[in-house]
Amino acid sequence: MVDRPLRTVMGWPPPATTSGKAWAEHRLRDKTHGRYVYLHPVAGELDLSFETPRLPDDPDQALVVHTVEEGSPSHTALRLPAAWAREASPAR
């Protein structure tokens, strides 16, 4: 749950003067590719690219694929959580 001051800054909920019809008609553009910068609590800042492929027969389903440039600081930083995941998984 987002606290009240943050909700106010974010503009949510919409003002009472805004009709539900206006919100229903608001169209969002689909982001098919781009870049995100995440702040991981252990690995630090991660600069990741993403692509969101969709199947033509089911446009409501999407798979978000994040990638990182090999040899970049983000690539190096991602090795720490990956190593932890390998250590935490049971031996097979």
Side-chain angles (χ1 to χ4, degrees):
M1 182 82 181
V2 178
D3 65 6
R4 186 175 204 85
L6 183 56
R7 290 170 63 98
T8 302
V9 170
M10 292 170 42
W12 189 259
T17 57
T18 304
S19 72
K21 181 180 180 192
W23 279 98
E25 291 175 353
H26 184 73
R27 301 288 181 241
L28 297 176
R29 291 186 336 167
D30 196 15
K31 291 179 72 173
T32 58
H33 64 282
R35 196 177 133 239
Y36 282 120
V37 177
Y38 294 98
L39 184 57
H40 188 277
V42 175
E45 188 175 288
L46 302 172
D47 187 353
L48 305 175
S49 297
F50 75 91
E51 291 189 39
T52 310
R54 294 187 185 272
L55 296 174
D57 294 341
D58 194 355
D60 292 334
Q61 298 291 318
L63 173 68
V64 180
V65 180
H66 286 91
T67 57
V68 64
E69 186 177 332
E70 188 173 351
S72 69
S74 295
H75 181 249
T76 303
L78 281 172
R79 292 177 183 264
L80 179 59
W84 285 359
R86 281 191 301 272
E87 289 175 10
S89 65
R92 294 181 186 192

